[in-house]
Amino acid sequence: MLVITRKINEGIKINDNIEVIVVDVSGEKVKLGINAPREIKIVRSELIQTEQANKEAALSPATVVTKDLISLFGKPHDKK
Amino acid sequence: MIIKTRDFDELEINESDIIHFPNGIYAFEDQKSFVLIHYPDQDVAPMWLQSVDDPSLCFIVFDPILYVEEYSPNISAADMNALKAEKKDDIRYLAISVIGKDVKDSTLNLKSPIVININNNYAVQSILEDDYPIRFPLFSDEKGA
């Protein structure tokens, strides 16, 4: 991974059309400003990781999982 | 009403049990209605968050409070507004699990809990600013299994 040290108001340029600027630093938080063309998708990394985890969660092999869970946690009672 | 479920065939539910996700769930934004299938007699139990409209879509979820003492995330004002929730007492959390090939490798997403307003059954999946892991081991050593 490329690591570059920047101060507040300094930035980096990616290709000719994306600019990332350090707007503010406060404790553990860094505020970034990004100038990029509208078609460039910019999201927090956690959002992609959450989507990925959700997709994996939805793909859990249903029947086996339910059987295993019940054997691990005990047989569920009927609702009511 | 009767719905088809992934793991429990057909179930009868009350319309008042439906949990409404105005924005869906990340990667499943078009799914707006779920029901929580659970077993109230179990202290530590998985629950099933079943889509009402898509029988094949179901998440296995857990109450994170059972796994992390003092799980008390900060929910953004925007999410609280979306839920029409005013205070923390109005909301409860569910953590979506990824079940591993070996069930003991399963993880819980504590970073992006399902947040439900218990008064009106509106819910969002909230990506927290807080420092919680996206893949927290469900069966960690210190807790045992």
Side-chain angles (χ1 to χ4, degrees):
Chain A
M1 186 195 289
L2 175 66
V3 178
I4 305 173
T5 303
R6 303 276 65 195
K7 295 176 184 164
I8 290 174
N9 292 329
E10 292 182 342
I12 59 164
K13 196 115 184 192
I14 301 169
N15 275 333
D16 290 331
N17 54 357
I18 300 171
E19 190 178 29
V20 182
I21 296 164
V22 179
V23 174
D24 195 15
V25 179
S26 157
E28 291 191 329
K29 292 188 178 177
V30 179
K31 225 176 242 179
L32 301 175
I34 302 162
N35 288 314
R38 200 174 286 267
E39 65 271 17
I40 300 284
K41 188 180 170 192
I42 301 166
V43 295
R44 289 193 283 160
S45 307
E46 304 94 280
L47 189 145
I48 302 294
Q49 291 161 4
T50 295
E51 286 182 340
Q52 183 57 37
N54 283 354
K55 285 179 192 165
E56 288 174 37
L59 285 176
S60 298
T63 326
V64 176
V65 165
T66 298
K67 209 177 82 223
D68 283 359
L69 285 174
I70 287 169
S71 73
L72 274 168
F73 288 98
K75 189 171 169 56
H77 304 261
D78 283 335
K79 208 177 171 185
K80 275 180 265 189
Chain B
M1 63 187 280
I2 292 186
I3 62 162
K4 283 195 173 138
T5 71
R6 188 187 70 179
D7 295 358
F8 303 99
D9 299 322
E10 291 188 342
L11 276 188
E12 180 158 15
I13 61 161
N14 295 319
E15 290 204 27
S16 59
D17 292 334
I18 293 176
I19 302 169
H20 304 279
F21 288 75
N23 307 320
I25 290 176
Y26 287 104
F28 300 93
E29 282 81 3
D30 54 337
Q31 296 296 319
K32 314 283 193 197
S33 303
F34 287 81
V35 285
L36 190 62
I37 303 166
H38 61 104
Y39 299 92
D41 295 349
Q42 293 283 117
D43 278 341
V44 180
M47 293 169 275
W48 284 258
L49 190 65
Q50 169 69 51
S51 164
V52 172
D53 301 314
D54 180 354
S56 70
L57 182 62
C58 182
F59 298 99
I60 294 169
V61 298
F62 291 81
D63 186 341
I65 310 282
L66 299 171
Y67 293 89
V68 180
E69 272 180 68
E70 297 176 24
Y71 184 73
S72 182
N74 292 300
I75 305 301
S76 71
D79 282 340
M80 290 296 275
N81 281 340
L83 296 171
K84 298 187 174 70
E86 286 167 7
K87 51 190 189 303
K88 281 211 160 179
D89 289 348
D90 293 339
I91 59 183
R92 69 173 293 195
Y93 309 105
L94 298 173
I96 295 180
S97 66
V98 174
I99 304 296
K101 280 209 178 79
D102 180 339
V103 171
K104 301 214 160 164
D105 295 332
S106 303
T107 59
L108 283 185
N109 183 348
L110 300 178
K111 177 77 171 176
S112 326
I114 305 289
V115 186
I116 304 172
N117 182 341
I118 55 177
N119 298 318
N120 61 13
N121 261 358
Y122 273 74
V124 295
Q125 185 173 22
S126 183
I127 300 180
L128 305 174
E129 298 280 337
D130 306 272
D131 219 1
Y132 288 110
I134 289 185
R135 292 171 193 266
F136 175 85
L138 186 53
F139 301 100
S140 56
D141 290 341
E142 56 265 41
K143 274 280 198 181

